[in-house]
Amino acid sequence: MNAIIQSVNPSDDSLLLGGVNLRSRLFVGTGKFSSHEIVPLVLEASGSQVVTMALRRVDWKNPQENILNYLPPNTILLPNTSGARTAEEAVRIAHLAQAAGCGNWVKIEIVQDQRYLLPDNWETLKATEQLANEGFVVLPYMSPDLGAARRLQDAGAAAIMPLGSPIGSNRGLQTKELIRILIEEISLPIIVDAGIGRPSEAAEAMEMGAAAVLVNTAIATAGDPVFMAQAFHLAVVAGRLGYLAGPGERRITAEASSPLTGFLQEG
Amino acid sequence: MFYEQITEWQQKLPESTWASFSGADVERVLARESLRPQDLAVLLSPAALSYLEPMAKKAQALTIRHFGRTIGLFTPLYLANFCSNSCLYCSFHTGNKIVRCKLSIAQVIKEGEAISSTGLQHLLLLTGESRTHSGPAYMEECVHALRPMFASLGLEVYPLATEEYRRLFEAGIDSVTLFQETYNEVTYAQVHPAGPKRDYHYRLEAPERACASGISSVNIGALLGLSDWRQDAFYSALHADYLQKTYPGVEVAISVPRLRPYAGSFQPSADPVTDAILVQIILAYRLFLPRAGITLSTRESPQMRENLLSLGITRLSAGSLTSVGGYSETDNVGSAQFEIADERSVPDVVAMIRAQGYLPSFCDWVNMRAKDAVGL
């Protein structure tokens, strides 16, 4: 094994987020599955440590229907504010989640457009500011926009979660160029959320330098969600290694492995 | 206003158009990624009846992508059946000699507790149209009484003014369901011969008033079979599309009620909505409105509900009773609005949904406004 590969030993490559060193860079969602019973199997196959769930869908009255009862005890919960249309509503959901024992991580999801479910960056900024001040680990889901991401960073976000394409669309990294700019310009971890439909797209995001990806629909609606979770796990690891290894420059034409001017270095 | 779109499309889509579409037109529409109103018309045309299988495959994939393998559950609670309308197709018709009553707040709580004990957390409140017996103030009292027991409260009552919707929204109502019954003005006038419901326009604009009041979700629909079903399905879907575009923050859903037997003698002259046609309508709705909820009630038989489940439905009523005071079996039981065809209990409906490979969802909402909303 050459020196470069040895220097990117994946066991040393954890993601520090909210004071926790995460081994897995794949976050998964709990929505859209055909049963709760499959969720722990998916989590095991994905290797994920961070699991997001919509607080609106947590059934507190029926223990058998409560998704939280199906998650392994060491899971880091990332309640999201799905259903919120304003910063005020998102803050209220975050408070409810914390009061219900879901910890202090929150994914801000504020949507005022029910056709495309695109996030409202302005309301997201307001909610991020308030919740970060209160000590929450805030992960805002946002439309990739450099100005908004800088403001979210200043407001105290723990990471930035730009969308690859609309939620549930499985359209992949349609916003790739904008995400690339965020990765270059923002010092916080960039976690690509929404739209990733295939393992190869997760690998692509990781190769670009995303800190992690969040996948739900692509796993939940796959023919075999457990296999697909494993595929995403492998893709995220592969993409991350590819990023760390530093891929070679892309060229249009072929380049000889033995350079023509190599003789100048000889002797 | 949506009425302008109706008049515009009546010009563009004369009766003769439906038969002019061919199989090739349907195939072209099925190849499109997003559909226009003219594409919706093609999917509702006689030509599309031969393409139900490819339509179903596409509709199922779209539904799973947007909603997952999840079916939301709710149940209706009839608060009162006093009514000043004369709808020819409804048992609550003011002239029908039925047992009329209205629940006291104590009875409302008892009914709420009986429903809540089944695990259901989405409740739809219904009344007949009587501002004397079941006015907005009474509804508001009921909302306050029920709010702590349920994750989501919907309202299916007569059309209200924007300010009344706003007050009920502030009190804790999350959604408004209101069916136009028929978009055909001539039939509408025939089947609503007396009472405030005669006002076609006031009803047509009610979902929009609800959206403007701040409500989170509206559910519209036509009573299929009352008038020409093609027109009614077309304008229902167009109406949903209009509401989605005009109020992007509001979740819009559409129901597919078929006319059921009721206490009365009116029989519609329109072509009946057969099972195949109901399927065609549901599929056309899903393909035209990929993100709209589609609601199916217990008006349909258990077998039909099982078969329709995977074609685009996102919400089912369960354990429904359409009589006033039926859940807690108080001595104050008023006559039912219509016969239900699926009388199975909530656990039986849940088992059916699971057997179809779907997850029954009892809870999909957190009310964030009402002071007495569900605490965790």
Side-chain angles (χ1 to χ4, degrees), chain B residues 94-152:
Chain B
T94 191
N96 283 351
K97 295 207 177 339
I98 59 167
V99 182
R100 306 269 175 184
C101 64
K102 160 190 165 181
L103 298 179
S104 66
I105 296 304
Q107 288 170 323
V108 167
I109 292 171
K110 212 170 157 188
E111 289 279 286
E113 285 169 347
I115 293 168
S116 180
S117 71
T118 65
L120 291 171
Q121 295 197 51
H122 286 233
L123 188 65
L124 185 61
L125 306 178
L126 296 96
T127 68
E129 179 152 6
S130 169
R131 283 194 170 260
T132 317
H133 294 283
S134 48
Y138 168 70
M139 294 174 203
E140 202 174 323
E141 274 186 84
C142 294
V143 170
H144 285 305
L146 293 164
R147 190 61 272 184
M149 284 185 248
F150 294 93
S152 167

Side-chain angles (χ1 to χ4, degrees), chain A residues 169-199:
Chain A
S169 67
N170 287 346
R171 284 171 177 271
L173 299 175
Q174 299 290 327
T175 60
K176 187 174 174 182
E177 187 57 19
L178 298 170
I179 290 176
R180 189 190 62 75
I181 293 170
L182 296 190
I183 290 170
E184 283 193 11
E185 300 298 327
I186 302 291
S187 56
L188 293 175
I190 303 297
I191 301 171
V192 178
D193 182 5
I196 291 179
R198 286 172 169 67

Side-chain angles (χ1 to χ4, degrees), chain B residues 133-192:
Chain B
H133 294 283
S134 48
Y138 168 70
M139 294 174 203
E140 202 174 323
E141 274 186 84
C142 294
V143 170
H144 285 305
L146 293 164
R147 190 61 272 184
M149 284 185 248
F150 294 93
S152 167
L153 291 178
L155 197 64
E156 184 173 350
V157 300
Y158 49 93
L160 299 175
T162 309
E163 200 41 48
E164 290 168 332
Y165 281 128
R166 197 185 317 276
R167 273 198 68 151
L168 286 159
F169 172 52
E170 295 295 336
I173 283 293
D174 301 297
S175 67
V176 166
T177 295
L178 195 123
F179 301 155
Q180 184 61 24
E181 318 295 14
T182 176
Y183 288 81
N184 182 312
E185 276 185 272
V186 176
T187 311
Y188 189 92
Q190 285 167 354
V191 298
H192 303 113

Side-chain angles (χ1 to χ4, degrees), chain A residues 32 59 61 92 114 171, chain B residues 33 65 121 149 248 368:
Chain A
K32 300 186 177 177
D59 191 339
K61 285 190 173 173
R92 189 153 177 210
Q114 299 300 328
R171 284 171 177 271
Chain B
E33 197 162 348
R65 193 200 303 164
Q121 295 197 51
M149 284 185 248
M368 288 156 285

